[in-house]
Amino acid sequence: MDSKKDISGPNGPGQLSGGSQTGPTIKAIQLPEVKVLLSESNVSFSPAPATESPKVEPLEAQKMFKSLQEILDESEKEEGSFAVRDLRASLEEADEDAQHGIRDPRTLSSVKTTVEKLWQSRSEYMAPAVEALANASRDPSWRAPFGESGLLDFFLRIIASTEEVDDQILLHSLRLAGNSCADTDENRRIVVEGNYTLAILRLFLKPSLVHIAIPVIYNICTDFEPAQSQVAHNRVAYIALKLIKDGSITGNALLNYAYELIEMASGQASGIERSPDGTILLLMEMALEKQTTFAQFCSLVNCLTTYLQNDRFQNVCVRHGLVETMLAVLRHSYDLEFDESSKEDVGALAQLQLRVNQTLSDLSALPEFGELYPLGFPFSRVLESYLDADQDQLQICACVMLGNLARSDEVCSRMVREFRIHERLISVLKSDAKGAVLHAAIGFLKNLAIASENRPFLAHAGVIPAVSRLWAFETVPQIQFSAVSLVRQVTVSSVENVSQLLERLSADPDSPAHNKTYLSLLLSLFGRSDSAPIKTEIGRTVASLCRTINSRTRESSEEINTLFERLFDLHPDLARPIGAMITQKEWPVVRSEGWFALALMASSKQGSLAVVDCLQNMDVYKLLEETLSSDNSGSLDETEKQKRIKDRDNTIILVKELLKHDPQTLPATQKAMLQDFAKGIKISPYS
């Protein structure tokens, strides 16, 4: 039933390498330029009004601007808004509604007409006019009317214009768009429906506008999923990361907006799918920057682990040699400065390290991992060094990733014979390591033990005494179960480990421990545990012992005879765990294994006494009767029929061997019933 398992858990312009991996050739990953990436989006926008109208005379343009100011100022005066405090007193012909403080879209009809004329005539008053409107848009009561009147769409079309537009006009147009969309989904919908987020993203490339374009995108996206989905689709994460890396986005406030946009985009499937391969390298590189704050590191790594849940990015990470860099991220997490008195920060870091470790586990489980990061090369040597690390997540990572390399007997054998990794793992079992570290180390040892040639080496290194102390981990059943499972694995066909398991705990004949063995400790765990999986696993371990010793009894060597005698003489309750295998209902194959083990025990005089002790469990005895009496002629599928035949044959052998040895402890009533069963029954040809 056992097999090797996954353990759970810049080289030039435009490209960077994923690390200093020496070994198989690993191709550098490409980092496309943002300008190139944005030019690939074939999106057409509604054109801005043409700027070829007859030029407005300066006096007329000034009058138009004053009119615009007066309309806005009248509303400001009535509402007491701070938005346009420096505008002049309103004209008496201002809209009647505006005079009463009502923000009606009709109030803005003349405003829209005015700015259109200023724009079309390329008036010098266009920039201050947009600034006045942008200031007004800071007042929440203006936001909806700006959208309903068409003013917002007008300025969005200017932002998206392919013509050369004055930076001041663009800056205040961005302000108007950002302010109008704050907490106003109707206006955000206008932006999204025209895909104007892409036009705003293109302004990230303008040094004079990036400081306003980023907060505008943030305003549009906050608490509005359609906008988040669109900017993610438009690859905002990669764009922001590349510009940060290139030094185009600076200052903590702006960086914080950018990091939030990056993290937001990682929550959108389409954004991950459309992100360039180099996104994960940028996330790693930024996370490793010394100036990256704790909060920024958490944001970047959360994004990184999300990207690496995607199959494509997992393959990219392995193929481009980025696993080594990902491991560096985990190591760097222990060097971060953060508020250690903050439970939130401590908890956030712990969760982050767990996520990174799980990601590394997933990466090392890929088939390509072993080919590109082979045993003995620098990356695996780094992992080996982490087996002795003081940081528990580094130890766990080393156990899991090296354990996932142990996929063949050849590799497992090299790990033990050449690199002696098993000795370091056994040292971990003897240490005061945390439960999660112990669990990972046991899992790795189990993989190594599957290669039969490794089991004597494990015995020589003292795996049984080392793991036996973990059977007392009462508060951590997972550790107990894994520790028992390891013993079962190492005793399969290994006299060396069986001998160690049956070793007396004291050489002093006068010591109470003289008549106890490591197996005694295991049987003691069986007696006090309430865990059915643990009880069943102990039973499978006992069955393994019996098979191993029985397969060597024909040698008649002194060592085998001693082991055989010690197995039964010092452990009268040896067969009770076999009963747990038989009474469990989850795995029929384990029940069959149990009947075989009992039949094997019953084949010797000493073993028959242990079998009788097991049959005192009425649940076991009842199942024995049912199995002996089973009718296999019904409408069963072939697999089930053969299983029942095999179980029945094993129980028949069990009964015949018991009656043959006639143990004195067998109750007369049971003996009589077993004799009745034995009369006239035959073992099927199948067996």
Side-chain angles (χ1 to χ4, degrees), residues 561-592:
N561 290 336
T562 299
L563 291 177
F564 186 84
E565 292 173 3
R566 191 176 293 177
L567 177 65
F568 292 107
D569 291 349
L570 298 182
H571 313 97
D573 55 349
L574 178 68
R576 293 182 185 180
I578 303 295
M581 296 173 65
I582 292 169
T583 56
Q584 61 82 33
K585 299 177 181 179
E586 191 169 351
W587 302 287
V589 66
V590 173
R591 174 178 292 182
S592 298

PDB file of all heavy atoms in Angstrom, residues 561-592:
ATOM      1  N   ASN A 561      15.751 -17.095  16.026  1.00  0.00           N
ATOM      2  CA  ASN A 561      15.065 -17.818  17.095  1.00  0.00           C
ATOM      3  C   ASN A 561      14.872 -16.940  18.324  1.00  0.00           C
ATOM      4  O   ASN A 561      13.817 -16.971  18.969  1.00  0.00           O
ATOM      5  CB  ASN A 561      15.860 -19.075  17.471  1.00  0.00           C
ATOM      6  CG  ASN A 561      15.815 -20.117  16.365  1.00  0.00           C
ATOM      7  OD1 ASN A 561      14.882 -20.132  15.552  1.00  0.00           O
ATOM      8  ND2 ASN A 561      16.818 -20.994  16.328  1.00  0.00           N
ATOM      9  N   THR A 562      15.881 -16.149  18.632  1.00  0.00           N
ATOM     10  CA  THR A 562      15.783 -15.238  19.782  1.00  0.00           C
ATOM     11  C   THR A 562      14.701 -14.190  19.553  1.00  0.00           C
ATOM     12  O   THR A 562      13.912 -13.883  20.449  1.00  0.00           O
ATOM     13  CB  THR A 562      17.137 -14.548  20.028  1.00  0.00           C
ATOM     14  OG1 THR A 562      18.123 -15.538  20.309  1.00  0.00           O
ATOM     15  CG2 THR A 562      17.043 -13.574  21.196  1.00  0.00           C
ATOM     16  N   LEU A 563      14.680 -13.641  18.348  1.00  0.00           N
ATOM     17  CA  LEU A 563      13.662 -12.638  18.026  1.00  0.00           C
ATOM     18  C   LEU A 563      12.260 -13.243  18.104  1.00  0.00           C
ATOM     19  O   LEU A 563      11.328 -12.616  18.626  1.00  0.00           O
ATOM     20  CB  LEU A 563      13.907 -12.059  16.629  1.00  0.00           C
ATOM     21  CG  LEU A 563      15.144 -11.179  16.449  1.00  0.00           C
ATOM     22  CD1 LEU A 563      15.267 -10.744  14.994  1.00  0.00           C
ATOM     23  CD2 LEU A 563      15.088  -9.968  17.362  1.00  0.00           C
ATOM     24  N   PHE A 564      12.123 -14.473  17.597  1.00  0.00           N
ATOM     25  CA  PHE A 564      10.816 -15.134  17.600  1.00  0.00           C
ATOM     26  C   PHE A 564      10.323 -15.340  19.031  1.00  0.00           C
ATOM     27  O   PHE A 564       9.164 -15.058  19.357  1.00  0.00           O
ATOM     28  CB  PHE A 564      10.923 -16.473  16.867  1.00  0.00           C
ATOM     29  CG  PHE A 564       9.609 -17.168  16.683  1.00  0.00           C
ATOM     30  CD1 PHE A 564       8.782 -16.849  15.619  1.00  0.00           C
ATOM     31  CD2 PHE A 564       9.196 -18.141  17.592  1.00  0.00           C
ATOM     32  CE1 PHE A 564       7.560 -17.483  15.457  1.00  0.00           C
ATOM     33  CE2 PHE A 564       7.976 -18.779  17.435  1.00  0.00           C
ATOM     34  CZ  PHE A 564       7.159 -18.452  16.366  1.00  0.00           C
ATOM     35  N   GLU A 565      11.224 -15.821  19.868  1.00  0.00           N
ATOM     36  CA  GLU A 565      10.839 -16.067  21.265  1.00  0.00           C
ATOM     37  C   GLU A 565      10.516 -14.762  21.983  1.00  0.00           C
ATOM     38  O   GLU A 565       9.543 -14.672  22.722  1.00  0.00           O
ATOM     39  CB  GLU A 565      11.968 -16.808  21.985  1.00  0.00           C
ATOM     40  CG  GLU A 565      12.171 -18.233  21.487  1.00  0.00           C
ATOM     41  CD  GLU A 565      13.397 -18.886  22.096  1.00  0.00           C
ATOM     42  OE1 GLU A 565      14.048 -18.234  22.946  1.00  0.00           O
ATOM     43  OE2 GLU A 565      13.716 -20.029  21.719  1.00  0.00           O
ATOM     44  N   ARG A 566      11.349 -13.768  21.776  1.00  0.00           N
ATOM     45  CA  ARG A 566      11.133 -12.489  22.456  1.00  0.00           C
ATOM     46  C   ARG A 566       9.841 -11.825  21.993  1.00  0.00           C
ATOM     47  O   ARG A 566       9.142 -11.182  22.773  1.00  0.00           O
ATOM     48  CB  ARG A 566      12.331 -11.567  22.188  1.00  0.00           C
ATOM     49  CG  ARG A 566      12.345 -10.314  23.048  1.00  0.00           C
ATOM     50  CD  ARG A 566      13.610  -9.515  22.785  1.00  0.00           C
ATOM     51  NE  ARG A 566      14.798 -10.230  23.260  1.00  0.00           N
ATOM     52  CZ  ARG A 566      16.036  -9.781  23.103  1.00  0.00           C
ATOM     53  NH1 ARG A 566      16.248  -8.633  22.456  1.00  0.00           N
ATOM     54  NH2 ARG A 566      17.063 -10.465  23.558  1.00  0.00           N
ATOM     55  N   LEU A 567       9.500 -12.001  20.716  1.00  0.00           N
ATOM     56  CA  LEU A 567       8.290 -11.392  20.168  1.00  0.00           C
ATOM     57  C   LEU A 567       7.053 -11.843  20.932  1.00  0.00           C
ATOM     58  O   LEU A 567       6.203 -11.025  21.307  1.00  0.00           O
ATOM     59  CB  LEU A 567       8.158 -11.759  18.688  1.00  0.00           C
ATOM     60  CG  LEU A 567       6.898 -11.268  17.972  1.00  0.00           C
ATOM     61  CD1 LEU A 567       6.880  -9.747  17.905  1.00  0.00           C
ATOM     62  CD2 LEU A 567       6.821 -11.871  16.559  1.00  0.00           C
ATOM     63  N   PHE A 568       6.965 -13.147  21.213  1.00  0.00           N
ATOM     64  CA  PHE A 568       5.759 -13.670  21.859  1.00  0.00           C
ATOM     65  C   PHE A 568       5.886 -13.767  23.383  1.00  0.00           C
ATOM     66  O   PHE A 568       4.918 -13.518  24.098  1.00  0.00           O
ATOM     67  CB  PHE A 568       5.409 -15.038  21.263  1.00  0.00           C
ATOM     68  CG  PHE A 568       4.952 -14.961  19.833  1.00  0.00           C
ATOM     69  CD1 PHE A 568       5.773 -15.403  18.804  1.00  0.00           C
ATOM     70  CD2 PHE A 568       3.714 -14.430  19.512  1.00  0.00           C
ATOM     71  CE1 PHE A 568       5.363 -15.322  17.476  1.00  0.00           C
ATOM     72  CE2 PHE A 568       3.292 -14.348  18.192  1.00  0.00           C
ATOM     73  CZ  PHE A 568       4.118 -14.791  17.173  1.00  0.00           C
ATOM     74  N   ASP A 569       7.080 -14.101  23.874  1.00  0.00           N
ATOM     75  CA  ASP A 569       7.234 -14.286  25.322  1.00  0.00           C
ATOM     76  C   ASP A 569       7.098 -12.977  26.093  1.00  0.00           C
ATOM     77  O   ASP A 569       6.560 -12.961  27.209  1.00  0.00           O
ATOM     78  CB  ASP A 569       8.601 -14.918  25.631  1.00  0.00           C
ATOM     79  CG  ASP A 569       8.691 -16.359  25.154  1.00  0.00           C
ATOM     80  OD1 ASP A 569       7.627 -16.917  24.787  1.00  0.00           O
ATOM     81  OD2 ASP A 569       9.803 -16.909  25.126  1.00  0.00           O
ATOM     82  N   LEU A 570       7.593 -11.882  25.523  1.00  0.00           N
ATOM     83  CA  LEU A 570       7.559 -10.597  26.234  1.00  0.00           C
ATOM     84  C   LEU A 570       6.324  -9.764  25.899  1.00  0.00           C
ATOM     85  O   LEU A 570       6.125  -8.699  26.491  1.00  0.00           O
ATOM     86  CB  LEU A 570       8.819  -9.779  25.913  1.00  0.00           C
ATOM     87  CG  LEU A 570      10.158 -10.396  26.320  1.00  0.00           C
ATOM     88  CD1 LEU A 570      11.294  -9.440  25.990  1.00  0.00           C
ATOM     89  CD2 LEU A 570      10.173 -10.749  27.807  1.00  0.00           C
ATOM     90  N   HIS A 571       5.502 -10.251  24.973  1.00  0.00           N
ATOM     91  CA  HIS A 571       4.352  -9.449  24.532  1.00  0.00           C
ATOM     92  C   HIS A 571       3.108 -10.324  24.405  1.00  0.00           C
ATOM     93  O   HIS A 571       2.661 -10.620  23.287  1.00  0.00           O
ATOM     94  CB  HIS A 571       4.652  -8.764  23.195  1.00  0.00           C
ATOM     95  CG  HIS A 571       5.995  -8.087  23.155  1.00  0.00           C
ATOM     96  ND1 HIS A 571       7.109  -8.693  22.613  1.00  0.00           N
ATOM     97  CD2 HIS A 571       6.399  -6.873  23.609  1.00  0.00           C
ATOM     98  CE1 HIS A 571       8.144  -7.877  22.720  1.00  0.00           C
ATOM     99  NE2 HIS A 571       7.743  -6.765  23.327  1.00  0.00           N
ATOM    100  N   PRO A 572       2.542 -10.744  25.537  1.00  0.00           N
ATOM    101  CA  PRO A 572       1.357 -11.617  25.481  1.00  0.00           C
ATOM    102  C   PRO A 572       0.149 -10.961  24.819  1.00  0.00           C
ATOM    103  O   PRO A 572      -0.743 -11.648  24.332  1.00  0.00           O
ATOM    104  CB  PRO A 572       1.079 -11.938  26.956  1.00  0.00           C
ATOM    105  CG  PRO A 572       1.746 -10.836  27.724  1.00  0.00           C
ATOM    106  CD  PRO A 572       2.954 -10.460  26.933  1.00  0.00           C
ATOM    107  N   ASP A 573       0.129  -9.640  24.806  1.00  0.00           N
ATOM    108  CA  ASP A 573      -0.992  -8.913  24.186  1.00  0.00           C
ATOM    109  C   ASP A 573      -0.677  -8.498  22.753  1.00  0.00           C
ATOM    110  O   ASP A 573      -1.302  -7.591  22.198  1.00  0.00           O
ATOM    111  CB  ASP A 573      -1.344  -7.678  25.022  1.00  0.00           C
ATOM    112  CG  ASP A 573      -0.140  -6.758  25.267  1.00  0.00           C
ATOM    113  OD1 ASP A 573       0.997  -7.178  24.970  1.00  0.00           O
ATOM    114  OD2 ASP A 573      -0.337  -5.630  25.768  1.00  0.00           O
ATOM    115  N   LEU A 574       0.278  -9.181  22.135  1.00  0.00           N
ATOM    116  CA  LEU A 574       0.774  -8.806  20.811  1.00  0.00           C
ATOM    117  C   LEU A 574      -0.312  -8.747  19.748  1.00  0.00           C
ATOM    118  O   LEU A 574      -0.288  -7.886  18.863  1.00  0.00           O
ATOM    119  CB  LEU A 574       1.857  -9.808  20.373  1.00  0.00           C
ATOM    120  CG  LEU A 574       2.468  -9.599  18.989  1.00  0.00           C
ATOM    121  CD1 LEU A 574       3.287  -8.313  18.971  1.00  0.00           C
ATOM    122  CD2 LEU A 574       3.337 -10.792  18.593  1.00  0.00           C
ATOM    123  N   ALA A 575      -1.291  -9.646  19.816  1.00  0.00           N
ATOM    124  CA  ALA A 575      -2.280  -9.757  18.742  1.00  0.00           C
ATOM    125  C   ALA A 575      -3.445  -8.783  18.885  1.00  0.00           C
ATOM    126  O   ALA A 575      -4.258  -8.663  17.958  1.00  0.00           O
ATOM    127  CB  ALA A 575      -2.807 -11.190  18.668  1.00  0.00           C
ATOM    128  N   ARG A 576      -3.555  -8.103  19.993  1.00  0.00           N
ATOM    129  CA  ARG A 576      -4.703  -7.205  20.174  1.00  0.00           C
ATOM    130  C   ARG A 576      -4.764  -6.108  19.093  1.00  0.00           C
ATOM    131  O   ARG A 576      -5.861  -5.791  18.610  1.00  0.00           O
ATOM    132  CB  ARG A 576      -4.675  -6.594  21.571  1.00  0.00           C
ATOM    133  CG  ARG A 576      -4.910  -7.637  22.669  1.00  0.00           C
ATOM    134  CD  ARG A 576      -4.926  -7.023  24.045  1.00  0.00           C
ATOM    135  NE  ARG A 576      -5.025  -8.073  25.073  1.00  0.00           N
ATOM    136  CZ  ARG A 576      -5.059  -7.834  26.378  1.00  0.00           C
ATOM    137  NH1 ARG A 576      -4.997  -6.577  26.831  1.00  0.00           N
ATOM    138  NH2 ARG A 576      -5.139  -8.838  27.236  1.00  0.00           N
ATOM    139  N   PRO A 577      -3.641  -5.503  18.717  1.00  0.00           N
ATOM    140  CA  PRO A 577      -3.720  -4.511  17.630  1.00  0.00           C
ATOM    141  C   PRO A 577      -4.193  -5.112  16.306  1.00  0.00           C
ATOM    142  O   PRO A 577      -4.782  -4.405  15.486  1.00  0.00           O
ATOM    143  CB  PRO A 577      -2.279  -4.000  17.524  1.00  0.00           C
ATOM    144  CG  PRO A 577      -1.684  -4.237  18.870  1.00  0.00           C
ATOM    145  CD  PRO A 577      -2.292  -5.525  19.326  1.00  0.00           C
ATOM    146  N   ILE A 578      -3.934  -6.431  16.106  1.00  0.00           N
ATOM    147  CA  ILE A 578      -4.448  -7.073  14.893  1.00  0.00           C
ATOM    148  C   ILE A 578      -5.969  -7.031  14.907  1.00  0.00           C
ATOM    149  O   ILE A 578      -6.620  -6.862  13.869  1.00  0.00           O
ATOM    150  CB  ILE A 578      -3.948  -8.522  14.792  1.00  0.00           C
ATOM    151  CG1 ILE A 578      -2.416  -8.575  14.811  1.00  0.00           C
ATOM    152  CG2 ILE A 578      -4.492  -9.176  13.521  1.00  0.00           C
ATOM    153  CD1 ILE A 578      -1.760  -7.927  13.630  1.00  0.00           C
ATOM    154  N   GLY A 579      -6.548  -7.174  16.104  1.00  0.00           N
ATOM    155  CA  GLY A 579      -8.004  -7.079  16.230  1.00  0.00           C
ATOM    156  C   GLY A 579      -8.533  -5.741  15.768  1.00  0.00           C
ATOM    157  O   GLY A 579      -9.622  -5.652  15.172  1.00  0.00           O
ATOM    158  N   ALA A 580      -7.754  -4.681  16.018  1.00  0.00           N
ATOM    159  CA  ALA A 580      -8.181  -3.353  15.565  1.00  0.00           C
ATOM    160  C   ALA A 580      -8.195  -3.271  14.049  1.00  0.00           C
ATOM    161  O   ALA A 580      -9.035  -2.577  13.455  1.00  0.00           O
ATOM    162  CB  ALA A 580      -7.257  -2.285  16.144  1.00  0.00           C
ATOM    163  N   MET A 581      -7.284  -3.977  13.403  1.00  0.00           N
ATOM    164  CA  MET A 581      -7.288  -4.016  11.937  1.00  0.00           C
ATOM    165  C   MET A 581      -8.546  -4.700  11.420  1.00  0.00           C
ATOM    166  O   MET A 581      -9.121  -4.298  10.408  1.00  0.00           O
ATOM    167  CB  MET A 581      -6.066  -4.778  11.419  1.00  0.00           C
ATOM    168  CG  MET A 581      -4.731  -4.151  11.741  1.00  0.00           C
ATOM    169  SD  MET A 581      -3.355  -5.234  11.264  1.00  0.00           S
ATOM    170  CE  MET A 581      -3.545  -5.268   9.489  1.00  0.00           C
ATOM    171  N   ILE A 582      -8.963  -5.740  12.130  1.00  0.00           N
ATOM    172  CA  ILE A 582     -10.098  -6.534  11.681  1.00  0.00           C
ATOM    173  C   ILE A 582     -11.424  -5.834  11.926  1.00  0.00           C
ATOM    174  O   ILE A 582     -12.341  -5.904  11.102  1.00  0.00           O
ATOM    175  CB  ILE A 582     -10.066  -7.912  12.381  1.00  0.00           C
ATOM    176  CG1 ILE A 582      -8.854  -8.712  11.873  1.00  0.00           C
ATOM    177  CG2 ILE A 582     -11.361  -8.683  12.155  1.00  0.00           C
ATOM    178  CD1 ILE A 582      -8.563  -9.960  12.662  1.00  0.00           C
ATOM    179  N   THR A 583     -11.528  -5.111  13.035  1.00  0.00           N
ATOM    180  CA  THR A 583     -12.808  -4.488  13.384  1.00  0.00           C
ATOM    181  C   THR A 583     -13.028  -3.140  12.714  1.00  0.00           C
ATOM    182  O   THR A 583     -14.160  -2.650  12.678  1.00  0.00           O
ATOM    183  CB  THR A 583     -12.923  -4.318  14.911  1.00  0.00           C
ATOM    184  OG1 THR A 583     -11.793  -3.571  15.390  1.00  0.00           O
ATOM    185  CG2 THR A 583     -12.967  -5.675  15.607  1.00  0.00           C
ATOM    186  N   GLN A 584     -11.975  -2.525  12.201  1.00  0.00           N
ATOM    187  CA  GLN A 584     -12.178  -1.252  11.491  1.00  0.00           C
ATOM    188  C   GLN A 584     -12.931  -1.517  10.188  1.00  0.00           C
ATOM    189  O   GLN A 584     -12.812  -2.578   9.587  1.00  0.00           O
ATOM    190  CB  GLN A 584     -10.850  -0.529  11.252  1.00  0.00           C
ATOM    191  CG  GLN A 584      -9.848  -1.275  10.401  1.00  0.00           C
ATOM    192  CD  GLN A 584     -10.092  -1.138   8.908  1.00  0.00           C
ATOM    193  OE1 GLN A 584     -10.559  -0.101   8.433  1.00  0.00           O
ATOM    194  NE2 GLN A 584      -9.816  -2.191   8.164  1.00  0.00           N
ATOM    195  N   LYS A 585     -13.705  -0.530   9.751  1.00  0.00           N
ATOM    196  CA  LYS A 585     -14.585  -0.730   8.600  1.00  0.00           C
ATOM    197  C   LYS A 585     -14.200   0.095   7.365  1.00  0.00           C
ATOM    198  O   LYS A 585     -14.826  -0.031   6.320  1.00  0.00           O
ATOM    199  CB  LYS A 585     -16.024  -0.382   8.998  1.00  0.00           C
ATOM    200  CG  LYS A 585     -16.561  -1.247  10.126  1.00  0.00           C
ATOM    201  CD  LYS A 585     -17.971  -0.820  10.527  1.00  0.00           C
ATOM    202  CE  LYS A 585     -18.503  -1.666  11.674  1.00  0.00           C
ATOM    203  NZ  LYS A 585     -19.873  -1.241  12.084  1.00  0.00           N
ATOM    204  N   GLU A 586     -13.181   0.931   7.509  1.00  0.00           N
ATOM    205  CA  GLU A 586     -12.876   1.868   6.431  1.00  0.00           C
ATOM    206  C   GLU A 586     -12.095   1.236   5.285  1.00  0.00           C
ATOM    207  O   GLU A 586     -12.284   1.578   4.122  1.00  0.00           O
ATOM    208  CB  GLU A 586     -12.104   3.065   6.989  1.00  0.00           C
ATOM    209  CG  GLU A 586     -11.964   4.204   6.006  1.00  0.00           C
ATOM    210  CD  GLU A 586     -11.426   5.468   6.653  1.00  0.00           C
ATOM    211  OE1 GLU A 586     -11.318   5.498   7.901  1.00  0.00           O
ATOM    212  OE2 GLU A 586     -11.109   6.408   5.916  1.00  0.00           O
ATOM    213  N   TRP A 587     -11.192   0.313   5.616  1.00  0.00           N
ATOM    214  CA  TRP A 587     -10.313  -0.278   4.587  1.00  0.00           C
ATOM    215  C   TRP A 587     -10.450  -1.800   4.602  1.00  0.00           C
ATOM    216  O   TRP A 587      -9.823  -2.486   5.426  1.00  0.00           O
ATOM    217  CB  TRP A 587      -8.854   0.103   4.842  1.00  0.00           C
ATOM    218  CG  TRP A 587      -8.615   1.569   4.868  1.00  0.00           C
ATOM    219  CD1 TRP A 587      -8.600   2.428   3.812  1.00  0.00           C
ATOM    220  CD2 TRP A 587      -8.350   2.369   6.033  1.00  0.00           C
ATOM    221  NE1 TRP A 587      -8.334   3.702   4.231  1.00  0.00           N
ATOM    222  CE2 TRP A 587      -8.177   3.711   5.586  1.00  0.00           C
ATOM    223  CE3 TRP A 587      -8.225   2.104   7.385  1.00  0.00           C
ATOM    224  CZ2 TRP A 587      -7.900   4.746   6.461  1.00  0.00           C
ATOM    225  CZ3 TRP A 587      -7.959   3.145   8.265  1.00  0.00           C
ATOM    226  CH2 TRP A 587      -7.797   4.441   7.796  1.00  0.00           C
ATOM    227  N   PRO A 588     -11.234  -2.357   3.692  1.00  0.00           N
ATOM    228  CA  PRO A 588     -11.376  -3.821   3.622  1.00  0.00           C
ATOM    229  C   PRO A 588     -10.040  -4.538   3.439  1.00  0.00           C
ATOM    230  O   PRO A 588      -9.840  -5.629   3.971  1.00  0.00           O
ATOM    231  CB  PRO A 588     -12.288  -4.026   2.410  1.00  0.00           C
ATOM    232  CG  PRO A 588     -13.064  -2.755   2.297  1.00  0.00           C
ATOM    233  CD  PRO A 588     -12.123  -1.677   2.730  1.00  0.00           C
ATOM    234  N   VAL A 589      -9.117  -3.941   2.680  1.00  0.00           N
ATOM    235  CA  VAL A 589      -7.835  -4.582   2.446  1.00  0.00           C
ATOM    236  C   VAL A 589      -7.043  -4.721   3.739  1.00  0.00           C
ATOM    237  O   VAL A 589      -6.287  -5.684   3.931  1.00  0.00           O
ATOM    238  CB  VAL A 589      -7.025  -3.801   1.387  1.00  0.00           C
ATOM    239  CG1 VAL A 589      -6.623  -2.421   1.906  1.00  0.00           C
ATOM    240  CG2 VAL A 589      -5.783  -4.582   0.968  1.00  0.00           C
ATOM    241  N   VAL A 590      -7.217  -3.768   4.663  1.00  0.00           N
ATOM    242  CA  VAL A 590      -6.535  -3.855   5.958  1.00  0.00           C
ATOM    243  C   VAL A 590      -7.135  -4.977   6.799  1.00  0.00           C
ATOM    244  O   VAL A 590      -6.423  -5.693   7.514  1.00  0.00           O
ATOM    245  CB  VAL A 590      -6.611  -2.503   6.698  1.00  0.00           C
ATOM    246  CG1 VAL A 590      -6.055  -2.621   8.118  1.00  0.00           C
ATOM    247  CG2 VAL A 590      -5.832  -1.444   5.920  1.00  0.00           C
ATOM    248  N   ARG A 591      -8.445  -5.144   6.717  1.00  0.00           N
ATOM    249  CA  ARG A 591      -9.080  -6.262   7.429  1.00  0.00           C
ATOM    250  C   ARG A 591      -8.518  -7.589   6.917  1.00  0.00           C
ATOM    251  O   ARG A 591      -8.200  -8.490   7.705  1.00  0.00           O
ATOM    252  CB  ARG A 591     -10.587  -6.225   7.244  1.00  0.00           C
ATOM    253  CG  ARG A 591     -11.299  -7.433   7.838  1.00  0.00           C
ATOM    254  CD  ARG A 591     -12.807  -7.341   7.688  1.00  0.00           C
ATOM    255  NE  ARG A 591     -13.350  -6.276   8.519  1.00  0.00           N
ATOM    256  CZ  ARG A 591     -14.651  -6.001   8.606  1.00  0.00           C
ATOM    257  NH1 ARG A 591     -15.540  -6.702   7.916  1.00  0.00           N
ATOM    258  NH2 ARG A 591     -15.072  -5.024   9.379  1.00  0.00           N
ATOM    259  N   SER A 592      -8.403  -7.716   5.619  1.00  0.00           N
ATOM    260  CA  SER A 592      -7.837  -8.944   5.047  1.00  0.00           C
ATOM    261  C   SER A 592      -6.407  -9.167   5.525  1.00  0.00           C
ATOM    262  O   SER A 592      -5.994 -10.293   5.826  1.00  0.00           O
ATOM    263  CB  SER A 592      -7.866  -8.863   3.518  1.00  0.00           C
ATOM    264  OG  SER A 592      -9.188  -8.758   3.031  1.00  0.00           O
TER     265      SER A 592
END
